[in-house]
Amino acid sequence: MVSASVKDVAALAGVSVGTVSNVLNRPEKVSAEVTVRVQSAIDKLGFVRNDAARQLRAGMSHSIGLVVLDAANPFFTDLARGAEDRATAENLTVLVGNSNEDEGRESAYLDLFEQQRVRGVLLSPVGNVIPRLEQLRRRGIPTVLVDRQTENMSFSSVAVDDLAGGEMAAAHLLSLGRRRIAFVGGPASIRQVADRLAGARKAIDAVAGATLEVIATESLTVLSGRAAGESIRSRPKAERPDAIFAANDLLAVGALQGLMLMGGVKVPQEIALIGYDDIEFAAAAVVPLSSIRQPSALIGSTALELLLREAASEDGFEPAQVVFPPELIVRASTQG
Amino acid sequence: MVSASVKDVAALAGVSVGTVSNVLNRPEKVSAEVTVRVQSAIDKLGFVRNDAARQLRAGMSHSIGLVVLDAANPFFTDLARGAEDRATAENLTVLVGNSNEDEGRESAYLDLFEQQRVRGVLLSPVGNVIPRLEQLRRRGIPTVLVDRQTENMSFSSVAVDDLAGGEMAAAHLLSLGRRRIAFVGGPASIRQVADRLAGARKAIDAVAGATLEVIATESLTVLSGRAAGESIRSRPKAERPDAIFAANDLLAVGALQGLMLMGGVKVPQEIALIGYDDIEFAAAAVVPLSSIRQPSALIGSTALELLLREAASEDGFEPAQVVFPPELIVRASTQG
DNA sequence: ACACAGGAATGAATCGTTTCATAACCAGCT
DNA sequence: AGCTGGTTATGAAACGATTCATTCCTGTGT
């Protein structure tokens, strides 16, 4: 026999299946003596509940689905951990799917979650999934968008205010007295990049004499950042910016390398440098990097919180848009 | 109505539930005309199969469980991707659990997977789980260990030969003519660290006049590596090693920073440096790092392969121990 | 001695899908 | 007309846990 069922347990303990179920789910309804008998039968048979049967009966699983853009990105692993911790407290499981920024994979995971009758879905969307999400909602499966606000406000979302983050970073550089600021980042089609730039521009426009130069990169990687840093280093001193705001920490780390190569530019004395995301590596860089921190785990737990609330509520649910403020982390790269 | 069932579809299409099931699972057995009718009923009702019911009937889910030590470690995300790709091809889903090196969480995930009647489990174990795995096996759920070989050979495993990797790294340094070699790594209680050191020692002992110095670190992090690098830089030139083998790339990156700080030691001219893991960041370091590459995705897909084979086989299954050879990746940090 | 309250245990019905033995139907052949 | 073989469709049973209306006890109070 591969696996014992409640029936087997009941037979061995000399009770009915209903009683076994009661021992499992409402122990207070069962006499001590019977509880002991059933327990020992469970132990002897190595009985383990069949989740599929429970779910079938219950009509709904006790997991929630999470689809992320990139499982390797620390931001998303932190976010997932935040959601998991909150879920565990609620006796729920989080199933993580990695869309890898691919619409097909995203859609496949949504299908899977729908078949599993998950309690809800947390989604960092790739394509235009709103219709798909409306279908899920009709089926009673709520969705909360993470890291991207919904266009039409019909779904709840949790995100960070990248505009404010950009503004904050630029304002910090300006407060150091720097005026010739360069933004390193790209591609501009990524919303986060565009927002951070827009925020920076806003802060810079507000200060007379401050200028903003945009140095576009192909991607948000260390290598791109390094190329940008080297190109700045190769300029005549007078034409260099006196501060750099990089669209994320990987770029900042790369830029730092490019600048410092061959005893080049001194950071922060000649050029101050700030990144974005505050990844673990930022603090460990040759010159510890200032950065804009995003509360990734908090985003995850909050998203799950909203999801639970929506799942518990009746029809007239009001979607909520939560936007977290980013946080400025000052380290050596902008001090001195 | 929250959700339509086969019964609803059958009623609308004017056929029996069995026929609906046939349309879904053996379309060749159903006439074209009926297929069309059923399909349009499915579309109209937005019918989605209930996975719990399928699994209950089938007696087994179509997912496999994976428990990793650290979901944030690129090695494991790559491994997971390898397993997922292979699973997708087999129409299976991978459920990823993050034990975070905690025995309690590991155990909780194994419980969950057992309740879900997964097809099998891939496990990068924390504690002594062998008895638990034997219990799973009795239930018909096979396990394959990843990244750690089983002590008693009773379970299949997939790992990388860290001994050979350590030997390879040290041999490479020796082949450059370096003789005063330092191993940076720790804690020694981690099997991978111990094996890599043992491998290095073996290579060094084989060359007359070559010496090995062990510089212990508290952890496998950039910060620890940097401290080690700085302590080496602060020595009189004559007492410095002429090559460093770091137990992983994070340490190597840190060591590199520590060495180069303030125009200090030239890498590789004065000290050659090699790391381990070949993480993405290695190629992007100020001086691109040589490293020992582990085929992480291949480990994942191979583990899944073994799992499938064991699941398909009858009782007399012979566990297999697969050990992959690591690969030497030479970059600037050991050239010149 | 009897009724009765209330705790404890029962077991049939249920969830949605799949399977499989059976039935229905049709065409071709004797 | 009767028979055969083959293709399609049917519907009841089964998977395993949970639920809930019902039955069974036991002890208390009159």
Side-chain angles (χ1 to χ4, degrees):
Chain A
M1 166 209 7
V2 160
S3 205
S5 75
V6 273
K7 220 179 287 178
D8 304 317
V9 173
L12 181 58
V15 298
S16 71
V17 292
T19 299
V20 175
S21 176
N22 282 337
V23 170
L24 259 23
N25 302 300
R26 318 183 191 56
E28 79 282 0
K29 298 249 159 212
V30 183
S31 72
E33 189 243 346
V34 168
T35 301
V36 168
R37 241 167 50 223
V38 170
Q39 265 307 343
S40 79
I42 287 177
D43 294 343
K44 188 170 301 174
L45 294 174
F47 166 77
V48 172
R49 274 147 116 142
N50 183 320
D51 215 46
R54 303 187 72 190
Q55 284 182 202
L56 173 57
R57 184 65 233 258
M60 184 147 273
S61 80
H62 41 271
S63 18
I64 77 115
L66 165 63
V67 187
V68 301
L69 289 175
D70 177 10
N73 184 329
F75 173 76
F76 285 114
T77 56
D78 286 353
L79 187 153
R81 210 172 32 72
E84 266 164 20
D85 289 350
R86 187 73 185 74
T88 305
E90 219 72 34
N91 233 346
L92 294 170
T93 312
V94 177
L95 306 176
V96 183
N98 180 10
S99 72
N100 237 56
E101 312 199 16
D102 177 305
E103 290 200 44
R105 291 186 55 138
E106 172 177 77
S107 174
Y109 273 113
L110 291 177
D111 286 349
L112 180 70
F113 291 155
E114 190 171 359
Q115 292 185 16
Q116 302 219 354
R117 303 292 194 269
V118 295
R119 280 276 229 291
V121 172
L122 301 184
L123 177 68
S124 160
V126 184
N128 175 29
V129 277
I130 301 292
R132 191 78 182 66
L133 300 185
E134 270 161 359
Q135 179 190 335
L136 280 181
R137 171 178 282 173
R138 252 174 272 128
R139 194 178 233 67
I141 301 180
T143 304
V144 172
L145 299 170
V146 292
D147 198 36
R148 200 166 293 196
Q149 280 169 272
T150 166
E151 299 78 31
N152 58 5
M153 303 283 152
S154 64
F155 287 89
S156 293
S157 69
V158 181
V160 166
D161 189 344
D162 280 311
L163 209 84
E167 199 172 349
M168 194 174 272
H172 173 58
L173 296 175
L174 291 166
S175 79
L176 301 173
R178 313 288 168 138
R179 289 295 178 270
R180 298 193 313 284
I181 301 188
F183 176 85
V184 172
S189 60
I190 296 183
R191 183 194 58 74
Q192 280 88 341
V193 173
D195 283 4
R196 290 166 196 177
L197 173 56
R201 178 160 282 141
K202 191 173 163 202
I204 291 166
D205 284 351
V207 173
T211 60
L212 173 64
E213 171 192 6
V214 175
I215 300 178
T217 63
E218 275 181 12
S219 65
L220 297 167
T221 60
V222 175
L223 281 177
S224 295
R226 191 171 173 191
E230 285 180 357
S231 85
I232 289 174
R233 176 166 51 78
S234 69
R235 296 183 190 175
K237 237 176 180 169
E239 292 175 21
R240 293 180 190 157
D242 58 11
I244 298 176
F245 169 31
N248 80 355
D249 281 347
L250 294 178
L251 283 174
V253 165
L256 182 64
Q257 293 176 0
L259 291 172
M260 295 186 75
L261 216 57
M262 311 191 310
V265 181
K266 283 200 177 67
V267 174
Q269 292 82 354
E270 299 176 44
I271 300 185
L273 175 61
I274 187 168
Y276 207 106
D277 280 352
D278 194 31
I279 63 176
E280 202 189 344
F281 197 81
V286 179
V287 177
L289 275 177
S290 295
S291 194
I292 302 293
R293 178 180 294 168
Q294 311 206 61
S296 17
L298 181 59
I299 293 174
S301 59
T302 305
L304 194 62
E305 182 69 41
L306 284 185
L307 194 64
L308 294 174
R309 207 175 303 164
E310 179 162 351
S313 76
E314 289 313 305
D315 290 344
F317 181 77
E318 194 69 27
Q321 318 295 327
V322 176
V323 177
F324 283 109
E327 185 188 353
L328 173 67
I329 306 292
V330 177
R331 297 201 183 88
S333 74
T334 61
Q335 281 175 325
Chain B
M1 166 209 7
V2 159
S3 204
S5 76
V6 273
K7 221 177 286 181
D8 304 317
V9 173
L12 181 57
V15 297
S16 72
V17 293
T19 299
V20 175
S21 178
N22 282 336
V23 170
L24 259 23
N25 302 301
R26 318 188 196 53
E28 77 283 0
K29 298 248 158 213
V30 183
S31 71
E33 189 243 348
V34 169
T35 301
V36 169
R37 238 165 54 218
V38 171
Q39 265 306 345
S40 77
I42 287 176
D43 294 343
K44 187 169 303 175
L45 294 174
F47 166 78
V48 172
R49 274 144 122 136
N50 183 320
D51 216 45
R54 301 187 73 189
Q55 283 182 203
L56 173 57
R57 183 67 237 255
M60 184 145 273
S61 79
H62 40 271
S63 13
I64 77 116
L66 165 63
V67 187
V68 299
L69 289 175
D70 177 9
N73 184 329
F75 173 76
F76 285 114
T77 56
D78 286 354
L79 189 153
R81 210 172 33 71
E84 267 165 19
D85 289 350
R86 186 72 185 73
T88 305
E90 219 72 32
N91 234 347
L92 294 170
T93 313
V94 177
L95 306 177
V96 183
N98 180 11
S99 72
N100 238 55
E101 312 198 14
D102 178 303
E103 289 200 44
R105 291 185 55 138
E106 172 177 79
S107 175
Y109 274 113
L110 291 177
D111 285 350
L112 179 70
F113 291 154
E114 190 171 0
Q115 291 186 16
Q116 302 219 352
R117 302 292 194 270
V118 295
R119 280 275 229 291
V121 172
L122 300 185
L123 176 68
S124 161
V126 184
N128 175 29
V129 279
I130 301 291
R132 192 78 182 67
L133 300 185
E134 268 160 1
Q135 179 189 336
L136 280 181
R137 170 178 285 173
R138 252 174 271 126
R139 195 177 232 69
I141 301 181
T143 303
V144 172
L145 299 169
V146 292
D147 198 36
R148 199 165 294 193
Q149 280 169 271
T150 166
E151 298 78 32
N152 57 5
M153 303 284 152
S154 65
F155 288 89
S156 293
S157 68
V158 181
V160 166
D161 188 344
D162 280 311
L163 209 84
E167 199 173 348
M168 195 176 273
H172 173 57
L173 296 175
L174 291 166
S175 78
L176 302 172
R178 313 288 169 137
R179 287 296 178 271
R180 300 193 311 285
I181 300 189
F183 176 85
V184 172
S189 60
I190 296 183
R191 186 197 53 77
Q192 280 88 341
V193 173
D195 283 4
R196 289 166 197 179
L197 173 57
R201 178 160 283 141
K202 190 172 163 202
I204 292 166
D205 285 350
V207 173
T211 61
L212 174 64
E213 172 191 5
V214 175
I215 299 177
T217 63
E218 276 182 11
S219 65
L220 297 166
T221 59
V222 176
L223 282 178
S224 295
R226 193 171 171 190
E230 286 180 357
S231 85
I232 290 174
R233 177 166 50 77
S234 69
R235 298 183 189 173
K237 236 176 181 168
E239 292 175 22
R240 292 180 189 154
D242 57 11
I244 297 175
F245 169 30
N248 81 355
D249 281 348
L250 294 178
L251 284 174
V253 165
L256 182 64
Q257 293 176 0
L259 291 173
M260 295 187 75
L261 216 57
M262 311 193 308
V265 181
K266 284 201 179 67
V267 174
Q269 292 83 354
E270 299 176 45
I271 299 184
L273 176 62
I274 186 167
Y276 207 107
D277 280 353
D278 194 30
I279 62 176
E280 202 189 344
F281 196 81
V286 179
V287 178
L289 274 178
S290 295
S291 195
I292 303 292
R293 177 181 294 168
Q294 310 207 60
S296 19
L298 182 60
I299 293 173
S301 58
T302 305
L304 195 62
E305 183 68 40
L306 284 185
L307 194 64
L308 294 175
R309 206 175 303 163
E310 178 161 352
S313 76
E314 290 312 309
D315 291 342
F317 181 77
E318 194 68 27
Q321 320 293 325
V322 175
V323 177
F324 284 110
E327 185 188 354
L328 174 67
I329 306 292
V330 177
R331 296 202 183 87
S333 74
T334 61
Q335 279 175 326

